[in-house]
Amino acid sequence: QVQLVESGGGLVQPGESLRLSCAASGSIFRINAMGWYRQAPGKQRELVADIDNSGSTNYADSVKGRFTISRDNAKNTVYLQMDSLKPGDTAVYYCNAQLSRRFGGNVYNYWGQGTQVTVSS
């Protein structure tokens, strides 16, 4: 009923760039915030960046100055521009949305399927 579809992952060399996209669709009343998380092998999932309805953003310290999150509310889409990629950025990246499906409904987290980002020389 609610889907988050991600795209844009791939294999790049250190210093190169990627742009991830995530489009939310289905029975959505309101999206409060969207964000990107990542999980590397043997590590816990961590917040990379998020953005709320006012446009306020948060970034993990490890990506500040290199990554930029943006949101197109009309398309229910969030983007993550990743520049100056490092091997340490290698992970599965997951899109997240905090949304309600009806007026007065509860707000829940929804997740995309994940997209692999590999940074290697």
Side-chain angles (χ1 to χ4, degrees):
Q1 195 166 358
V2 175
Q3 279 191 310
L4 303 180
V5 180
E6 303 171 356
S7 62
L11 172 64
V12 297
Q13 294 183 329
E16 295 183 341
S17 298
L18 285 172
R19 187 165 108 126
L20 306 182
S21 299
C22 173
S25 62
S27 299
I28 301 171
F29 176 75
R30 182 181 183 182
I31 299 178
N32 293 344
M34 301 186 77
W36 291 94
Y37 293 70
R38 68 186 182 188
Q39 187 167 24
K43 298 182 179 179
Q44 295 186 343
R45 186 174 299 185
E46 65 175 350
L47 173 69
V48 178
D50 62 15
I51 183 168
D52 66 16
N53 286 336
S54 70
S56 180
T57 59
N58 293 298
Y59 295 93
D61 288 340
S62 60
V63 307
K64 286 181 179 178
R66 300 188 298 118
F67 291 9
T68 303
I69 189 169
S70 60
R71 177 177 174 180
D72 186 337
N73 290 336
K75 298 180 179 179
N76 288 336
T77 300
V78 65
Y79 307 92
L80 186 67
Q81 178 67 41
M82 304 185 294
D83 298 323
S84 302
L85 283 162
K86 304 175 180 179
D89 297 318
T90 296
V92 177
Y93 284 69
Y94 296 92
C95 177
N96 170 265
Q98 298 176 221
L99 63 87
S100 58
R101 294 188 291 170
R102 63 185 187 275
F103 176 78
N106 293 328
V107 178
Y108 295 101
N109 285 321
Y110 289 81
W111 296 90
Q113 79 284 358
T115 184
Q116 177 70 47
V117 172
T118 302
V119 185
S120 177
S121 59

